[in-house]
Amino acid sequence: MTDPSPRPFRYPVPELGALPDDVREKILAVQEKAGFVPNVFLLLARRPEEFRAFVAYHDALMEKREGLTIAEREMIVVAISTAQACLYCVVAHGAILRVRAKDPLIADLIATNYRKAGLPPRQRAMLDYAMKVATTSYLVSDEDHEALAAAGFTEDEAWDIGAIAAFFSMSNRLANATDLRPNPEFHSIGRR
Amino acid sequence: MTDPSPRPFRYPVPELGALPDDVREKILAVQEKAGFVPNVFLLLARRPEEFRAFVAYHDALMEKREGLTIAEREMIVVAISTAQACLYCVVAHGAILRVRAKDPLIADLIATNYRKAGLPPRQRAMLDYAMKVATTSYLVSDEDHEALAAAGFTEDEAWDIGAIAAFFSMSNRLANATDLRPNPEFHSIGRR
Amino acid sequence: MTDPSPRPFRYPVPELGALPDDVREKILAVQEKAGFVPNVFLLLARRPEEFRAFVAYHDALMEKREGLTIAEREMIVVAISTAQACLYCVVAHGAILRVRAKDPLIADLIATNYRKAGLPPRQRAMLDYAMKVATTSYLVSDEDHEALAAAGFTEDEAWDIGAIAAFFSMSNRLANATDLRPNPEFHSIGRR
Amino acid sequence: MTDPSPRPFRYPVPELGALPDDVREKILAVQEKAGFVPNVFLLLARRPEEFRAFVAYHDALMEKREGLTIAEREMIVVAISTAQACLYCVVAHGAILRVRAKDPLIADLIATNYRKAGLPPRQRAMLDYAMKVATTSYLVSDEDHEALAAAGFTEDEAWDIGAIAAFFSMSNRLANATDLRPNPEFHSIGRR
Amino acid sequence: MTDPSPRPFRYPVPELGALPDDVREKILAVQEKAGFVPNVFLLLARRPEEFRAFVAYHDALMEKREGLTIAEREMIVVAISTAQACLYCVVAHGAILRVRAKDPLIADLIATNYRKAGLPPRQRAMLDYAMKVATTSYLVSDEDHEALAAAGFTEDEAWDIGAIAAFFSMSNRLANATDLRPNPEFHSIGRR
Amino acid sequence: MTDPSPRPFRYPVPELGALPDDVREKILAVQEKAGFVPNVFLLLARRPEEFRAFVAYHDALMEKREGLTIAEREMIVVAISTAQACLYCVVAHGAILRVRAKDPLIADLIATNYRKAGLPPRQRAMLDYAMKVATTSYLVSDEDHEALAAAGFTEDEAWDIGAIAAFFSMSNRLANATDLRPNPEFHSIGRR
């Protein structure tokens, strides 16, 4: 049986009232929208400068509305987060993926084995590249970029795929180093 | 978007009517109980002798009512099936684990990273041993068996842990070699 | 110097007289044929249900007389058993392979490096697929099945190759988890 | 012979005049200080939002003046950047490390094998943890944090070590995905 | 079926008569003693300078009569040659090991899994160190040398173990790069 | 800060006066030429027979004046020595490579990631083969030799590439097993 009320992460949970205004307001805005405060915001609030940079970087990559769809961006997160077995990233972004893709099954499939998830060739090529960036980026070569081009991606979209894989490679490690746990709410979101 | 009605596996789906009686009856009994026919039964029905041996072996290890709890047995299956990224095993046995453990979160956590799932020491030791058997069995040593004993497991329970890890190491590979997919029903079972 | 009379496995050796009749008779039949009782039978006799399922599964895959030759089946066992460094499987099935292939050298070569054993293309393709199933089954794809077809294998033979690789992936782990040792007799069988 | 004037990265080099003011001013400020524009700034300038978030995150972790010394922070960067064989990060941060540590040899040693670089126990513990976060963060456990504490690090310093390892895990992947090359100037800086 | 008369290696077999006198005499002396010319001598004869250096180095390490026994030296060769799956080294030195250890079983056991071969603690420690030198020498540390000392090895014996592991790490790679095959005679030597 | 005067290796430094004449003379000749005694000579002097064989083998492969250039030979050494993270080999042969290639940057680039060093196709093919011999020689196949031929290498040059990779695979392991450190002088040689 899993612990019914585990610590959300290795560090003390900060008091909302003691946080800088912009950090607290961001947290309250997310809570307003999601109905709960995702643990990653409480974790990073311990370090306001890092909080701000993380959120800004995240939003630049994940909230962009051109090129990759927002569901595809989340597919990348779920796929590459399995490479570092990141509890928070797989479960929380699995939920977001289900919502954005309007598909209750896709997150479990990609979280287990994206190669056997029955994805169309475009998304398979996207995740092959993302996974290579996440795991063996030192092998990335012109051939990989040509494969993306052949699958219909522009060079700017290639940047997005690589940058999302890179950003969540950071995020996975932050979460694992701090024992960040997903909020229980994430498990059931988007399952219909 | 995942394919809405994908092939359940690489081989043709056999006609129920053409199967040997015992195989068909087993399949109907499972359907009666679960409400649908799990794809693994349809896959193996192509080979009745293998079907019977698989089911007999499975039940000897998984339906046993002494030693490990039936939830613990499923925890082993989910944990070790991630080592071969087995879509069917992780999703289907994740569902069974949620039901048997009466815990809607546990399967996602173990499927992502059992080491960070917040499990009690007994189950952590159980899964450490199972994972070693599944991935680097050539390194299993007296120290591993002593660690199991220290966690309270008898030598017969150690056999069970190892045998379940071994059996599903087979099962993972059968599923991956045949592109066996989990039935959609499994994704939502036991989530409340 | 290796121990002249080591324990055959980690668990107590069961008394033949105390075993269920069918298990004892199977053991005596094997002894009659081979001249000694292979240790795997004594190991599994501790668990009669598992014994029966193991033997039934084994025979369904290894004693089949259509498709793959019986020597080819043993080649798969020896090749994939090196992936888990299984003492019992490599030595015992190496002996059977020498006998079935009527080739005193083949087992040592395949046990060391099947890729450099000088095998004909058909058997090389067979072992490449078997090894992939045994080690990285999550990567098995249509291309692998096409390679088997190009080497002349039917889809039913592909199943056999995969299923043998899967079954002995289980067997390797059972043997390693229980420290099963090969009987000394196996080392010299079939060497002329 | 290496190419005497290779492309600095896979994407077109942006015109300074076409960049947003803050980005251009940051670049000119760095050029003023270093005598040249490190290629990473020209690369990221293509994406001003990402540029700003990257610089803010970098400075929050690397320019901090409490806890870890600034030389230790660069040691982490060089050590973990070898795990993804990042040309830019190893060479450029190797130069910064030589300057900050006032040690012309240290960067080559850490870039080759920090375990054999003859470091004092404190820095060895720091790099062991950083390397674990960079390569197998899913295995990070209480024992790792206890080892840091035993080496004299506070929990806030543990965060810094982990966060620097995580941030440059991102940075390594961005550089490798875009074929970012180090400026030639970096190779000779700090060698006396 | 393995090829009954395969090429002994990738390069042409040199004419004995065309070789420098000392090389030819060494080859004839070995033939005199063994009853056949081991293929490695014919391979290296293509390069007389390398032949002489190889033989001199080999004999300095393997024919020494103090410290490690000559059987122990061969145990190291067989064990570490499995790490590169070297056909020639495992089969040829397996034969020499059987003769020197007067043990018909030991080579097969060490070639499959030295950790489960039932070796006494001294030889287990010796092979653990040799294997670490062969596979992850960058991790060798004081602790490894302390473990050797605890098992009764002097620092000069530690050198021998490491140097034999290193020398055959070269030898394994030469053999694999040139497709060197073992002479058929080796398979049956020393099996009684 | 790295230790200002570390031990050059794990074993005592031998007295020059106590060495056999030929060994001492070789050491003095190298000192005359280089201005200092590279630590590897002092290490191996403990074992005169091994010293002589090592030097003879080294010179046969590295001082040859036909086929590969002497700079290319050093490129192989630096590239493959990263696979075992050998401090001495990467730093000392990095220096020799800078001198022989008359290129102050090349060693750092190859030591970090030869695949991204911007090398011409011939040298890229050479290092791909060398790296395969150094790391996974059991996979070397006809295709690898065909790739070398396509890049313009003769079969004798293929031997040289493989043999250099093999010889320094030994050398890397000797250095790592004995904690051999590079002389400080090597770090700055050839940097202009």
Side-chain angles (χ1 to χ4, degrees), chain C residues 78-98:
Chain C
V78 173
I80 75 98
S81 294
T82 64
Q84 285 288 322
C86 178
L87 224 52
Y88 186 85
C89 306
V90 170
V91 174
H93 287 273
I96 304 173
L97 171 56
R98 285 191 295 272

Side-chain angles (χ1 to χ4, degrees), chain A residues 128-180:
Chain A
D128 280 344
Y129 179 75
M131 202 57 124
K132 191 166 187 178
V133 171
T135 59
T136 53
S137 68
Y138 46 92
L139 298 179
V140 169
S141 69
D142 288 350
E143 285 69 36
D144 298 307
H145 282 257
E146 287 156 14
L148 285 180
F153 293 102
T154 66
E155 274 292 297
D156 254 304
E157 290 165 348
W159 175 302
D160 278 351
I161 301 170
I164 293 169
F167 180 81
F168 283 92
S169 291
M170 171 175 70
S171 198
N172 288 178
R173 285 161 176 81
L174 288 173
N176 276 334
T178 57
D179 284 337
L180 180 64

Side-chain angles (χ1 to χ4, degrees), chain B:
Chain B
M1 176 60 110
T2 50
D3 186 345
S5 57
R7 295 177 62 187
F9 39 76
R10 174 178 293 278
Y11 290 83
V13 178
E15 292 293 320
L16 273 193
L19 298 176
D21 289 351
D22 64 320
V23 171
R24 187 179 54 251
E25 278 157 28
K26 174 71 184 173
I27 289 175
L28 294 174
V30 173
Q31 185 178 32
E32 174 78 20
K33 188 175 165 203
F36 62 98
V37 183
N39 289 334
V40 68
F41 289 95
L42 296 177
L43 171 73
L44 290 171
R46 182 183 179 87
R47 300 279 186 109
E49 283 182 274
E50 298 169 37
F51 180 103
R52 293 176 193 116
F54 184 95
V55 169
Y57 216 144
H58 175 279
D59 290 355
L61 293 171
M62 300 303 288
E63 302 299 335
K64 202 171 164 182
R65 285 300 188 276
E66 60 201 47
L68 307 179
T69 69
I70 53 172
E72 285 173 337
R73 293 171 196 269
E74 295 296 332
M75 290 171 65
I76 297 170
V77 181
V78 174
I80 75 98
S81 295
T82 64
Q84 285 289 320
C86 177
L87 225 52
Y88 185 86
C89 306
V90 170
V91 174
H93 287 272
I96 304 174
L97 171 56
R98 285 191 295 271
V99 171
R100 292 194 162 180
K102 300 187 204 317
D103 181 337
L105 309 185
I106 193 169
D108 292 344
L109 299 178
I110 291 179
T112 306
N113 189 345
Y114 80 91
R115 297 175 197 85
K116 297 206 173 246
L119 297 171
R122 167 185 163 90
Q123 294 175 347
R124 171 65 192 261
M126 177 183 82
L127 295 184
D128 280 344
Y129 179 75
M131 201 58 124
K132 191 166 187 178
V133 170
T135 59
T136 53
S137 68
Y138 46 92
L139 297 179
V140 169
S141 69
D142 289 349
E143 285 68 36
D144 298 307
H145 282 257
E146 287 157 14
L148 284 180
F153 292 102
T154 67
E155 274 293 296
D156 254 304
E157 289 164 349
W159 176 302
D160 278 351
I161 301 170
I164 293 168
F167 181 82
F168 283 92
S169 292
M170 172 176 69
S171 198
N172 288 178
R173 286 161 176 79
L174 288 173
N176 276 334
T178 58
D179 283 338
L180 179 65
R181 291 176 67 89
N183 307 57
E185 289 85 346
F186 282 123
H187 292 262
S188 51
I189 288 174
R191 293 197 182 271
R192 187 101 14 97

Side-chain angles (χ1 to χ4, degrees), chain A residues 8-150:
Chain A
F9 39 76
R10 174 179 293 279
Y11 290 83
V13 179
E15 292 293 321
L16 273 192
L19 298 176
D21 289 352
D22 64 321
V23 172
R24 187 179 53 251
E25 278 156 28
K26 174 72 184 173
I27 289 176
L28 294 174
V30 174
Q31 185 177 32
E32 174 79 20
K33 187 175 166 203
F36 61 99
V37 184
N39 289 333
V40 67
F41 289 95
L42 296 177
L43 171 72
L44 290 172
R46 181 183 180 88
R47 300 279 186 110
E49 283 183 274
E50 298 169 38
F51 180 103
R52 292 176 194 117
F54 184 96
V55 169
Y57 216 144
H58 175 279
D59 290 355
L61 294 171
M62 300 303 289
E63 302 300 334
K64 203 171 165 183
R65 285 300 187 277
E66 59 201 48
L68 308 179
T69 68
I70 53 172
E72 285 172 337
R73 294 171 196 268
E74 295 295 332
M75 290 172 65
I76 297 170
V77 181
V78 174
I80 76 98
S81 295
T82 65
Q84 285 287 320
C86 178
L87 224 53
Y88 185 86
C89 306
V90 170
V91 174
H93 286 272
I96 304 173
L97 172 55
R98 285 191 295 272
V99 172
R100 293 194 161 180
K102 300 189 204 316
D103 182 335
L105 309 186
I106 194 170
D108 293 344
L109 299 178
I110 291 180
T112 306
N113 189 344
Y114 79 90
R115 297 175 197 83
K116 298 209 172 241
L119 298 170
R122 168 185 162 89
Q123 294 175 346
R124 171 65 193 263
M126 177 183 82
L127 295 184
D128 280 344
Y129 179 75
M131 202 57 124
K132 191 166 187 178
V133 171
T135 59
T136 53
S137 68
Y138 46 92
L139 298 179
V140 169
S141 69
D142 288 350
E143 285 69 36
D144 298 307
H145 282 257
E146 287 156 14
L148 285 180

